[in-house]
Amino acid sequence: MAAVSAWRGARARVDYAVATLLGRPRACVLDRLFAAYPDFYHMRDYGDERMDAIAEVIRREVGDCASLGDVSVYEGYALGRVADRLGVANLSGCDLSEVALDRARGALSGSFAAFDLTRLYDDPAIGLPIPRPDVLLVCECLYYVGPLANHAWSQSWIFRSRKLGFIAALRRHARKAVIFQHFGSRQKDAIGELVVAAGGRKVEDRWGIWLLPATA
Ligand SMILES: C[S@@+](CC[C@H](N)C(=O)[O-])C[C@H]1O[C@@H](n2cnc3c(N)ncnc32)[C@H](O)[C@@H]1O
């Protein structure tokens, strides 16, 4: 039995590595990986400084925030920690993985829905399947979205107008602001440059946080 689950875990890792190398992982690949390895990304091991920084930016730059949404809510860890710091109880989130979403539902109360962000990238008019929050979090996920995924989000000029259309769709879904946070050195500047082109600004360097005010 242990050998079977070890083999399944190893297979899930290989499938994920291949999918990421060739483009981006599909829902079934992530579901198998997350089922085998809870908190596969070791988000808890990074500690809470990232969430402290995001909460501080919202407090300082946005002010009152009554609702928070997260477009890649994963197991709910980042959303829950930011919400705790701001005292926000109205939460929502979506994610490609049902396995991750089930863990988020177990950890937090709110509105959670399965959704592939690439659908919004392909058709910015469809919107997101969650209520419109004051602040929408877009953290550590864009490199999984759209054609060429990580490669495209590491260079701002690749598919620039499509990425700007997608960013505009995210912006329409926020009442007050969208927070973009990606700390990988190549992605953070390329994504940040697009957020600035869309009308946003850099608000924190260490974790790579850019703020895009909602459309007036
Ligand atoms: C590195 S984790 C980041 C989790 C969380 N946003 C955070 O910052 O802690 C990436 C998350 O993106 C999700 N994801 C990957 N591809 C996606 C897609 N196409 N649409 C929506 N979510 C996706 C994964 O399931 C995972 O939960």
Side-chain angles (χ1 to χ4, degrees):
M1 199 60 192
V4 172
S5 68
W7 184 85
R8 281 202 187 118
R11 175 71 201 268
R13 271 186 192 279
V14 170
D15 289 349
Y16 173 75
V18 171
T20 306
L21 198 71
L22 297 179
R24 57 192 186 84
R26 307 292 150 144
C28 59
V29 171
L30 289 177
D31 281 343
R32 284 197 298 268
L33 184 72
F34 297 162
Y37 301 102
D39 194 11
F40 170 76
Y41 296 109
H42 301 284
M43 288 303 180
R44 287 165 183 78
D45 298 345
Y46 282 115
D48 284 353
E49 288 178 36
R50 180 169 66 106
M51 279 63 87
D52 289 339
I54 295 170
E56 173 53 26
V57 160
I58 295 172
R59 200 179 286 117
R60 189 181 70 226
E61 306 283 340
V62 181
D64 286 346
C65 172
S67 50
L68 272 173
D70 187 337
V71 299
S72 62
V73 70
Y74 187 40
E75 300 180 355
Y77 185 68
L79 177 64
R81 305 301 257 198
V82 173
D84 279 353
R85 280 151 181 72
L86 297 172
V88 179
N90 186 340
L91 305 180
S92 58
C94 44
D95 200 279
L96 183 58
S97 165
E98 280 286 4
V99 170
L101 279 170
D102 275 346
R103 292 184 184 140
R105 290 185 188 106
L108 304 170
S109 61
S111 168
F112 299 102
F115 186 69
D116 185 344
L117 287 169
T118 294
R119 291 187 55 214
L120 186 70
Y121 183 101
D122 288 341
D123 181 1
I126 65 172
L128 290 169
I130 52 172
R132 221 172 137 225
D134 279 349
V135 175
L136 187 64
L137 303 179
V138 181
C139 304
E140 300 301 336
C141 62
L142 290 185
Y143 37 76
Y144 289 123
V145 176
L148 300 184
N150 186 32
H151 185 59
W153 288 99
S154 301
Q155 302 287 335
S156 61
W157 58 270
I158 301 179
F159 303 134
R160 185 180 179 83
S161 63
R162 290 186 72 188
K163 290 186 292 192
L164 285 172
F166 171 73
I167 287 172
L170 295 171
R171 185 184 207 181
R172 285 193 293 278
H173 203 79
R175 292 179 191 281
K176 295 189 173 179
V178 186
I179 298 289
F180 293 84
Q181 181 274 312
H182 294 82
F183 64 75
S185 55
R186 272 182 308 146
Q187 298 98 349
K188 83 170 173 180
D189 290 332
I191 292 168
E193 202 264 297
L194 288 166
V195 176
V196 169
R201 63 187 188 278
K202 186 181 197 174
V203 283
E204 199 268 358
D205 187 57
R206 179 172 173 216
W207 295 102
I209 307 177
W210 271 258
L211 179 139
L212 182 62
T215 318

